[in-house]
Amino acid sequence: MSDAVTCGWFDARVVTGAHPASLQPATDRDAVAAHLDRFELSGALVSAMASWLHDPIGGNAEASALAHSLADRGVLACWSAVPATPGELDSLTELVERAVDEGVAAFRIHPASHGFAPGLLDELYAALQANRLPLCIDAAEITWPELTAIATRYPELPIVISNLGYRKLRELWAALDGHTNIYVDLVDFAAHQGVEWLAANDLADRLLFATGFGLRDPGESVVRLAWSGLDDATVRLVGADTASRLFSGGRS
Amino acid sequence: MIGRRPTHRIIDVHAHLGPYSLFYIPDPDAATMVAVMDLTGTAVTVLSANRAIQQDAHLGNSQSLAAVDAHPGRIAAYAVINPWQDPERELERLAADERFVGIKVHPSLHRYPVTGARYAAVWEFAESTGCPVLSHSEHQSAYDAPAMFQTVAERYPGAAVMLGHAGITPAGVAEAIEAASRYESLWLEVCGSQMTGPMISAMVEQVGSGRVLFGSDFPFIDQRMSLGRVVCAPLTESQRQDVLSGNARKLFRWRPLPGERGVDDE
């Protein structure tokens, strides 16, 4: 095993902004930069806490502002979307077009938190698929049948599940086995030997390193992958290579 | 940078063994657990079988002993005492079998309050022998909320009790810290899905680094999740080593844990 393989990972989930009920350090620009330094990361995908917990569309500006200020560090923005609703959002297609113009690398949706059915976002999924932008979603925000329905209807749309917890391997397996466009990141991917189990079943290329910095303790995912039972090549695949392939940006 | 090899000597005081009905656990056997321990620098793990906490204390305790026999020097066992399943019999078994080094109780799963009379024999045994007790603790639980352990500590000041998960939630951790600050017989164990390094740091700051213990809940949850929080927590190296293994060596004196085997010896 080589220690060098633990450098240059891409953190596929960072959240900027304050959380109202968590003892977490601030995740402003300087904190994200320090996070990149501390773990020698090659970059990160950043969404805004405000998009999740306050203003879904308006909060996207905070993600982009941070991404722009750390663009030279490989930081990319992830925007949030809600169904087109008069007064809130005119068009999902236009939102994605605007995101592509601004260099946004992925979208995140929060159907449970934002009170809508995932089926109301077909326009978004089609636009993301056309622009090769991944869709990110927390496991608690969607049901497995809803998730797999999206994956089936949009087979070229990469879907990254986050915050899986430790109790969902039965459902995860069914989703991964039946849909080559579903991925899972390491934020709270807490099942004992879950990483090694997926790799042993030839699904290491569906795993992405991510810490959830801003929501979770980044030490969880860092140590989980660094001290995993994976060989160096697979650590590099999970740590950086799959993210590099998925988050190359729209129209690239 | 975190390299691929661990740099600390670790004792895991909160672990399990075997399958669990509510969700699938890959390879929850003792051999795989020891293989994980080799990757993480864990010298010794103290475990209670999932079967013992979930369904049958007596049969599960036998599984724990089999794991000790299969991996002497690496695994030690708690005897699970279920207040509904002949606790006196299991306490007699614990007293007679030196492979058990502590007691595990799970009031939430067994739906009986930690302050109830059916647990009295546990606390009396712990107080009279020095046998440490690990209990599940959970914020706002009717069975094992952290504040309830103050009653146990008041009644049985000589019983060393580890509050597993230290209350689990941020508010639960605050309550556990308050309880442990008042009673020196209460220890805080750090595993839990909502735990963070700053919360562990708060425990150390307010209770002192001498009564905070590393545990992981593995294979219920992967060991590296809890370990990563401690390894990366804002602690001094001295405090970190206390949490990762030093305090466990101090606490488990009734039947000492297997000898100092860790990354330094390999």
Side-chain angles (χ1 to χ4, degrees):
Chain A
M1 293 190 295
S2 166
D3 285 349
V5 78
T6 61
C7 300
W9 294 349
F10 182 89
D11 188 342
R13 180 113 196 251
V14 166
V15 187
T16 181
H19 189 283
S22 168
L23 189 57
Q24 284 285 1
T27 47
D28 56 12
R29 181 204 176 279
D30 291 346
V32 173
H35 173 67
L36 298 174
D37 290 339
R38 181 182 189 193
F39 298 112
E40 300 187 46
L41 303 174
S42 63
L45 182 69
V46 178
S47 57
M49 198 81 75
S51 284
W52 174 35
L53 297 177
H54 176 57
D55 180 351
I57 302 301
N60 290 332
E62 296 180 17
S64 279
L66 192 143
H68 290 150
S69 73
L70 290 172
D72 61 334
R73 305 291 311 276
V75 174
L76 304 168
C78 178
W79 278 12
S80 293
V82 292
T85 306
E88 184 175 39
L89 179 68
D90 292 334
S91 162
L92 283 161
T93 301
E94 289 177 11
L95 179 69
V96 173
E97 290 291 320
R98 197 160 73 243
V100 170
D101 289 344
E102 294 202 25
V104 169
F107 267 73
R108 175 169 294 280
I109 59 172
H110 305 272
S113 295
H114 294 162
F116 64 83
L120 293 174
L121 291 179
D122 274 342
E123 186 183 343
L124 172 75
Y125 311 138
L128 294 180
Q129 180 171 259
N131 287 282
R132 298 202 299 272
L133 292 181
L135 175 70
C136 304
I137 186 163
D138 278 7
E141 294 282 353
I142 194 167
T143 68
W144 293 96
E146 289 168 339
L147 172 76
T148 54
I150 298 168
T152 300
R153 287 205 305 275
Y154 302 93
E156 302 302 318
L157 172 64
I159 301 173
V160 181
I161 304 299
S162 189
N163 258 315
L164 192 78
Y166 59 95
R167 296 178 175 234
K168 300 295 183 187
L169 290 189
R170 291 170 181 149
E171 291 100 331
L172 178 69
W173 177 260
L176 293 176
D177 191 42
H179 304 85
T180 57
N181 54 330
I182 293 180
Y183 298 76
V184 60
D185 75 27
L186 293 190
V187 178
D188 197 25
F189 187 76
H192 167 73
Q193 290 287 90
V195 168
E196 292 78 5
W197 171 73
L198 283 183
N201 284 285
D202 299 322
L203 291 175
D205 61 350
R206 309 279 199 92
L207 279 167
L208 292 95
F209 171 73
T211 67
F213 180 57
L215 294 172
R216 299 200 63 90
D217 191 314
E220 296 173 344
S221 300
V222 170
V223 166
R224 180 66 190 85
L225 183 57
W227 296 355
S228 70
L230 304 181
D231 60 35
D232 285 352
T234 308
V235 168
R236 191 178 303 282
L237 175 72
V238 175
D241 293 352
T242 299
S244 178
R245 180 164 56 84
L246 288 182
F247 301 118
S248 56
R251 293 176 182 162
S252 59
Chain B
M1 182 184 75
I2 300 281
R4 295 218 65 188
R5 298 171 199 282
T7 54
H8 297 89
R9 183 180 294 108
I10 292 158
I11 293 174
D12 190 335
V13 303
H14 189 161
H16 297 286
L17 170 75
Y20 201 75
S21 64
L22 287 104
F23 50 90
Y24 172 58
I25 303 174
D27 303 321
D29 56 279
T32 301
M33 291 176 68
V34 171
V36 171
M37 291 162 61
D38 289 340
L39 290 170
T40 60
T42 304
V44 180
T45 288
V46 193
L47 60 75
S48 57
N50 278 331
R51 182 155 195 183
I53 62 167
Q54 195 180 27
Q55 183 244 335
D56 187 321
H58 188 75
L59 289 179
N61 287 337
S62 296
Q63 292 179 347
S64 298
L65 293 179
V68 175
D69 290 342
H71 302 280
R74 303 301 300 280
I75 289 178
Y78 289 110
V80 171
I81 307 297
N82 180 333
W84 303 110
Q85 292 182 338
D86 202 349
E88 288 76 16
R89 177 188 61 177
E90 290 308 300
L91 281 170
E92 288 174 9
R93 186 184 187 192
L94 158 72
D97 194 324
E98 296 204 346
R99 292 173 294 178
F100 289 118
V101 300
I103 292 171
K104 164 78 176 187
V105 295
H106 204 311
S108 280
L109 274 182
H110 298 153
R111 301 178 192 175
Y112 186 75
V114 73
T115 50
R118 285 178 171 273
Y119 278 126
V122 167
W123 310 124
E124 289 163 3
F125 183 87
E127 190 162 51
S128 65
T129 62
C131 172
V133 181
L134 171 64
S135 176
H136 180 84
S137 70
E138 186 169 341
H139 184 52
Q140 295 186 323
S141 166
Y143 304 113
D144 48 29
M148 296 172 72
F149 290 86
Q150 296 182 116
T151 302
V152 175
E154 195 76 47
R155 291 178 188 163
Y156 305 95
V161 184
M162 293 171 270
L163 275 62
H165 315 296
I168 295 184
T169 67
V173 169
E175 188 176 299
I177 287 172
E178 190 175 333
S181 297
R182 287 183 182 165
Y183 296 94
E184 292 193 351
S185 59
L186 302 182
W187 300 58
L188 302 179
E189 181 275 318
V190 301
C191 72
S193 290
Q194 299 180 48
M195 194 63 69
T196 65
M199 288 162 69
I200 295 166
S201 177
M203 293 182 207
V204 168
E205 285 175 13
Q206 295 175 56
V207 178
S209 66
R211 280 190 287 135
V212 181
L213 297 154
F214 171 68
S216 72
D217 225 1
F218 94 124
F220 209 81
I221 295 173
D222 196 276
Q223 189 196 40
R224 288 153 284 207
M225 302 298 284
S226 181
L227 185 54
R229 297 178 201 123
V230 180
V231 167
C232 296
L235 300 171
T236 68
E237 281 311 303
S238 173
Q239 291 169 333
R240 199 180 325 277
Q241 198 55 64
D242 282 349
V243 174
L244 287 173
S245 67
N247 295 334
R249 292 282 178 202
K250 285 194 306 183
L251 177 60
F252 285 82
R253 285 178 299 193
W254 174 55
R255 287 172 178 166
L257 298 175
E260 293 276 350
R261 178 179 171 184
V263 291
D264 292 346
D265 304 323
E266 294 177 357

